Amino acid sequence: MSKIRVLVADDHDIVRFGICSALKTSADVEVIGEASTGKQAAAMYESLKPDVVLLDISMPDMNGIEATRAIIKEHPGAQILILTMHLNEEYLNQVINAGALGYLLKNADIEEMLSGVRMVADGKQVFSNEIARLMTEKYIRSAQGSNDHKPVNSPRLTRREKEILQKIAEGKTSQEIAEILFISPRTVDTHRANLIQKLGVKNSAGLVRYAIEKNLLSD
Amino acid sequence: MKKTDYLSDVMHQGDLFRQFMSKSPVNLAMLDTGMNYLLASERWIQEMASGEGNLVGRNHYDVIKNQPAHWREAYERALTGHSEKFEQDIFIRPDGKLDWIRWEVSPWYNPSNTIGGVIIFVEMITQRKKVDEISNRLIEQRSRMAAKVETIEEERRNIARELHDGLGQLLTAAHLNLDLGEQNVHKNPDKAREDIRRAKELITTTIREVRNISQNLRPAVLDDFGLVPAIRNLCDEFYRTGTLDVQFSEYEMQDHYSPAIEIVVFRVCQEALNNIVRHAGASEASIDLYNRESHILIVIQDNGQGFEPARISQSGTGSGLINIKERVELLGGNIQIESQLNEGTEIIIEIPLKSVQDQPIV
C-alpha cells in the first residue's frame, strides 16, 4: 500500500514541527513538503501534487482560505484539510465555501489528526467534534427559525424604514415626515437614500411605486 | 499768581488731560448730556468708530449706529447718576464683525456738582474669550485623556488577571501533571498515562481560553476575511448566545477597507450591540451597512425602551455611546442618534472613506 503524501503549511515553525512529528508517527502517512505561507503552499502544490494538504488559516502572504481557493481553482480535485485554532461559524462558512474537505481544530489529538488525513485522502469530509456541534446548532436554529421568519424574497425593512416609506408614498415631504416621527429631516433623507439603495429603485418615485406594489399604503 | 500764568496753567492742564484721554491704550470716551462726544481716546476712534477721525461734537448714535436698547437704557441711568457695568456683551462693528466686549458707563460731574455727561469705557475681550475657550477645551481634553488612560490601565489589569489567574494556573497544573508522568513513566506506566492525559485536558482548556481572550482583544475574522464577515460573525455571536436577535444586511460593501476604518466600524457595531443588550431591553436589533461614494453609512436600530438623547451628554449614562462618538469623530465621521422613550433607538453613523489626515483642517 502506498503512503498518503502530505503537504503541511503553518507559519509557526514549532507548530509545523509538532504537526509533522505527529504525522510521522504513522506508517501510512508521509510528509513530503512544508510551507510557511499560503502562497508557498499553493506553489508547492503545483510541484509536489500531494494527496492531502494540511493548511493553517491565519498565515501571512495568502491565508489558508485564499490558498485553498487558489489550489482548488487549478485542481478542483485537491484534497485540503484545514487545521486551525479558530472555532466559529464564519470560519466554517469560509472553509466550506472555499472547497476544503475538512476542518480540524489544532487541539485535536494525534489519532484524530491522522484519521482526518486518511479520510480526506479518501475524499471524505471530516470535522472536529466541536465544529460538528457548531454545524448542528446552526441547522437547528435555521430549522426553528424557518417557522417564525417568512421566506425573504424582498429586503427586510426595519420598522422605522417602513414608516418612512409609507409616509413617502403618501406624498409627504422630508420636513413633514420628520415632524410626524419626531426625528430630524436629515435622518429622513438618510433613510430615503438607504431605502432607494435597499430596494434597488432609482429615486423617490420608485419608492412610491414599490410601496404601492407591496401594498404598504394601507396600514 | 498772575492771570496769564493762571490761564496758561489751566490750558496746560487741559492739554495734559486731553492727551491723557486720547493716548490711553483703552477704549475711552467722554460725552455730554446730549450724548455728543467731548473726547475720545485714539483706541476708541480706531476700534469703536473704525477710524473716523475727529469725533468731537458728533453724536454717539450717529457714530455707532443701531445700538441695542439696553445700551440706551444704561446711558440714561448713568445720566441720572448710576454707573452701569456689563461683563459680557456683543459689539457689532461697522464692518459687521462681532466682538465680545466688557464695558462700563458712569456719569461725570461739573464743578457745580451737576451731571455733565457720561464716560464710557469698553474693553475688547474677544481674544481673551477665545483663549478661555481653548483653555477650557484643553482642560476637558485632558480630563478625557486621563479617563482614557484609566480605561487602558483597567483593561490591562483585566488582561493580566486573565493571563495569570486563568492561563497561568492551567499551565502550572499541566506542568505538574507532566512532572508526575515523567516520574511515573518507569515504575507505574498506567499512572503515567493517566497523568499525561490530565495534562492534555488542561492544555485543551488552555487553548480554548487563549482563543476567547484573543478573540476579545482582536477579532481574527476581521484580519482573515474582512469587515463584512466580521460584522456578520459578530451578529451571529449575539444571536447564538441568545442575547439578542440581530439582523444584518449590507449594501455594496467592499471586501476590504483601510485597517483604521475596519476596526472603527467593527468596534462601533460591537459597542452598540453591547449597549443594546445592557441598557435597551430590546428583543431585536438590526445593523445595516451601506457603501456610499465618499463614506460608509452604518444604521443601527433596536426596538428597546429608548431614551432622551439629551441625557447622554450629561452624567455617566451612555458612556458606551460616548465611546462610539469619540471613535467616529477621530476618523472625521459624524454620528446622529434618534431615540424616544419606548420607541427604540436609531444610530446613524457616517465614516468618511478618505482618511482624516488627507482632509484640510478647517
Side-chain angles (χ1 to χ4, degrees):
Chain A
M1 191 184 87
S2 65
K3 288 187 175 184
I4 301 171
R5 298 158 65 250
V6 182
L7 169 63
V8 176
D10 195 302
D11 57 331
H12 294 102
D13 292 347
I14 291 175
V15 175
R16 199 174 62 240
F17 174 79
I19 294 168
C20 292
S21 313
L23 294 176
K24 281 172 190 158
T25 61
S26 173
D28 61 340
V29 175
E30 175 186 17
V31 176
I32 56 160
E34 296 182 26
S36 58
T37 71
K39 209 170 204 170
Q40 207 183 352
M44 286 176 83
Y45 189 96
E46 288 300 321
S47 54
L48 298 174
K49 301 276 156 40
D51 299 319
V52 172
V53 190
L54 251 183
L55 270 179
D56 179 26
I57 293 185
S58 304
M59 283 187 291
D61 204 8
M62 233 193 208
N63 67 36
I65 301 293
E66 291 162 340
T68 302
R69 290 214 174 91
I71 294 171
I72 300 255
K73 194 173 165 227
E74 298 298 317
H75 310 274
Q79 293 168 321
I80 297 173
L81 177 56
I82 299 288
L83 186 66
T84 174
M85 281 277 290
H86 300 294
L87 169 61
N88 82 38
E89 244 172 60
E90 194 55 43
Y91 281 86
L92 177 60
N93 291 341
Q94 297 279 352
V95 167
I96 291 174
N97 285 338
L101 278 179
Y103 181 164
L104 292 186
L105 289 178
K106 273 191 181 162
N107 52 343
D109 52 32
I110 297 180
E111 253 332 292
E112 199 181 345
M113 201 188 302
L114 284 171
S115 85
V117 168
R118 288 183 199 117
M119 283 176 78
V120 169
D122 224 15
K124 293 185 182 118
Q125 290 190 309
V126 59
F127 298 96
S128 286
N129 285 335
E130 282 143 299
I131 305 288
R133 201 175 312 132
L134 204 65
M135 294 167 93
T136 318
E137 278 173 18
K138 194 180 162 87
Y139 171 76
I140 291 173
R141 245 191 298 137
S142 74
Q144 283 170 341
S146 63
N147 286 330
D148 46 67
H149 288 295
K150 286 175 214 113
V152 187
N153 48 18
S154 52
R156 213 186 105 117
L157 300 185
T158 62
R159 192 176 50 100
R160 174 65 17 115
E161 284 169 344
K162 276 183 208 147
E163 282 173 343
I164 288 172
L165 181 56
Q166 225 173 55
K167 302 276 182 286
I168 290 172
E170 285 164 10
K172 300 223 160 39
T173 65
S174 291
Q175 187 65 44
E176 288 166 342
I177 297 169
E179 279 163 22
I180 296 168
L181 298 177
F182 299 105
I183 54 181
S184 74
R186 214 183 127 200
T187 305
V188 177
D189 286 335
T190 303
H191 280 300
R192 186 191 295 266
N194 294 354
L195 281 165
I196 288 170
Q197 192 169 5
K198 246 188 185 182
L199 303 176
V201 297
K202 281 207 178 65
N203 46 33
S204 293
L207 291 179
V208 176
R209 253 194 315 278
Y210 181 93
I212 293 168
E213 273 167 26
K214 298 283 166 181
N215 232 353
L216 290 173
L217 280 177
S218 51
D219 212 331
Chain B
M1 196 187 278
K2 275 187 275 177
K3 200 174 179 182
T4 46
D5 285 352
Y6 173 74
L7 263 177
S8 76
D9 205 36
V10 167
M11 280 170 70
H12 177 59
Q13 277 189 10
D15 188 47
L16 274 182
F17 175 66
R18 240 186 310 279
Q19 280 207 42
F20 176 67
M21 279 284 284
S22 81
K23 300 287 180 198
S24 287
V26 289
N27 293 296
L28 204 57
M30 191 178 195
L31 299 102
D32 65 17
T33 49
M35 297 304 284
N36 298 308
Y37 281 87
L38 298 173
L39 285 167
S41 68
E42 284 172 6
R43 172 88 55 103
W44 179 289
I45 295 167
Q46 276 311 313
E47 294 194 336
M48 303 297 291
S50 45
E52 276 187 43
N54 191 11
L55 297 179
V56 176
R58 292 185 56 192
N59 193 270
H60 185 45
Y61 295 110
D62 290 334
V63 173
I64 301 173
K65 301 259 185 338
N66 303 321
Q67 297 191 35
H70 72 279
W71 289 20
R72 291 166 185 270
E73 287 160 19
Y75 306 147
E76 278 160 24
R77 276 198 296 279
L79 286 170
T80 61
H82 303 280
S83 292
E84 293 282 331
K85 214 181 221 185
F86 299 86
E87 287 301 330
Q88 248 179 54
D89 208 339
I90 289 171
F91 171 62
I92 303 166
R93 293 193 189 210
D95 63 3
K97 267 193 201 145
L98 286 184
D99 264 312
W100 285 96
I101 57 171
R102 187 178 83 77
W103 67 285
E104 295 179 37
V105 55
S106 37
W108 61 270
Y109 294 86
N110 283 315
S112 55
N113 211 23
T114 55
I115 290 172
V118 296
I119 292 175
I120 307 175
F121 163 77
V122 178
E123 187 187 0
M124 299 284 173
I125 56 170
T126 307
Q127 219 52 35
R128 200 172 75 197
K129 263 185 81 81
K130 272 186 193 153
V131 172
D132 283 354
E133 259 165 43
I134 289 169
S135 96
N136 282 342
R137 220 178 311 151
L138 282 177
I139 289 169
E140 193 191 319
Q141 246 170 30
R142 198 174 336 153
S143 75
R144 248 194 294 169
M145 191 75 89
K148 209 162 283 172
V149 169
E150 183 55 39
T151 314
I152 292 170
E153 280 307 319
E154 180 64 33
E155 240 172 66
R156 288 191 177 168
R157 237 189 324 270
N158 288 340
I159 296 166
R161 198 177 308 130
E162 277 180 64
L163 291 180
H164 182 265
D165 297 357
L167 303 186
Q169 303 308 310
L170 283 167
L171 288 172
T172 308
H175 186 262
L176 207 68
N177 276 290
L178 286 174
D179 255 359
L180 286 172
E182 193 177 30
Q183 284 168 26
N184 286 329
V185 80
H186 292 301
K187 55 184 187 202
N188 191 348
D190 281 349
K191 181 78 177 50
R193 241 191 301 281
E194 177 61 20
D195 291 333
I196 291 168
R197 193 192 55 77
R198 260 206 306 277
K200 273 173 63 184
E201 263 173 26
L202 286 162
I203 289 168
T204 303
T205 312
T206 313
I207 292 172
R208 203 175 301 136
E209 279 291 298
V210 169
R211 191 183 294 135
N212 288 340
I213 294 171
S214 85
Q215 190 60 31
N216 285 335
L217 289 177
R218 172 83 196 178
V221 187
L222 194 55
D223 295 325
D224 285 332
F225 307 130
L227 187 55
V228 166
I231 304 281
R232 185 166 54 217
N233 192 56
L234 181 71
C235 296
D236 278 352
E237 293 276 300
F238 273 88
Y239 186 56
R240 204 158 61 87
T241 51
T243 42
L244 193 65
D245 184 355
V246 191
Q247 199 74 32
F248 171 61
S249 330
E250 52 93 10
Y251 300 89
E252 288 161 41
M253 289 290 284
Q254 298 163 21
D255 289 343
H256 290 285
Y257 294 92
S258 77
I261 288 178
E262 289 187 338
I263 195 65
V264 164
V265 174
F266 182 86
R267 291 293 185 213
V268 158
C269 291
Q270 187 179 41
E271 187 92 41
L273 292 180
N274 279 329
N275 243 2
I276 291 171
V277 169
R278 270 201 297 266
H279 306 297
S283 59
E284 281 178 29
S286 67
I287 293 181
D288 290 343
L289 298 183
Y290 299 85
N291 188 77
R292 292 283 158 77
E293 206 168 295
S294 63
H295 60 270
I296 295 176
L297 183 75
I298 312 170
V299 181
I300 303 166
Q301 292 171 299
D302 69 66
N303 67 350
Q305 63 197 20
F307 59 90
E308 286 164 47
R311 265 187 46 220
I312 53 158
S313 47
Q314 308 143 10
S315 72
T317 52
S319 67
L321 279 175
I322 289 169
N323 283 343
I324 292 175
K325 200 162 140 46
E326 280 184 353
R327 278 184 184 272
V328 169
E329 284 170 358
L330 214 58
L331 278 192
N334 63 63
I335 175 168
Q336 218 179 332
I337 298 166
E338 303 274 5
S339 186
Q340 288 164 55
L341 280 177
N342 303 319
E343 288 288 322
T345 301
E346 178 174 59
I347 304 175
I348 299 173
I349 294 164
E350 281 177 10
I351 311 258
L353 290 174
K354 251 178 111 179
S355 88
V356 81
Q357 281 93 337
D358 302 340
Q359 293 168 358
I361 295 163
V362 193

